[in-house]
Amino acid sequence: MLGRVTPHEAYRRVDFDARVNGADRTELVHLCYEHLVSALGTALHADSISDGELKSRSMTRALTAVTALQMGVSGDSGIASALNQLYAAARRTILDSATTFARDRIDALRSDFLEISQAMQTG
């Protein structure tokens, strides 16, 4: 049902908006990583149950998270350059999967960002 918002989706949006409104820069980065990992996980699940609409929405959410991360990178230091390369590669992987879903590549991308997110939280 195109355009219909499920209660789960509505709750997710409200929770996300509330967390964004109270977040500092570091928390926003963590939130974007969390959003990206979640969206990729949902896309993988949607693919396994052949739910094309959910998969498409999830991939769009993932692309939004990567775009936000890219927009947050400033400067041209070594770290900024590395982050730009990482986010550009993630963006390509997501966009490439829009036409032909590459489950293994999406799963690897999700694992990579989950690992980075966990390292950021402990470091």
Side-chain angles (χ1 to χ4, degrees):
M1 291 182 249
L2 196 59
R4 183 167 177 229
V5 177
T6 66
H8 175 73
E9 179 69 14
Y11 175 78
R12 187 193 60 75
R13 287 180 187 176
V14 169
D15 179 59
F16 181 78
D17 290 346
R19 291 174 66 196
V20 166
N21 288 333
D24 64 20
R25 182 177 174 95
T26 301
E27 292 167 334
L28 286 174
V29 171
H30 287 285
L31 190 57
C32 285
Y33 273 71
E34 182 181 305
H35 192 69
L36 176 58
V37 168
S38 173
L40 294 173
T42 302
L44 289 164
H45 171 71
D47 181 61
S48 71
I49 62 170
S50 300
D51 187 337
E53 183 181 336
L54 178 59
K55 182 170 59 175
S56 178
R57 281 195 323 261
S58 299
M59 294 300 281
T60 299
R61 282 181 40 227
L63 189 59
T64 300
V66 169
T67 300
L69 288 165
Q70 282 180 302
M71 290 173 61
V73 177
S74 60
D76 55 1
S77 68
I79 292 174
S81 177
L83 287 172
N84 279 322
Q85 289 175 13
L86 173 67
Y87 299 150
R91 182 180 190 82
R92 275 191 307 276
T93 299
I94 293 167
L95 289 173
D96 288 349
S97 283
T99 53
T100 304
F101 193 74
R103 186 174 182 80
D104 58 332
R105 293 183 68 205
I106 295 299
D107 189 39
L109 183 63
R110 182 182 179 280
S111 294
D112 290 346
F113 275 90
L114 180 59
E115 185 178 325
I116 293 167
S117 178
Q118 290 170 339
M120 288 170 51
Q121 288 178 352
T122 60

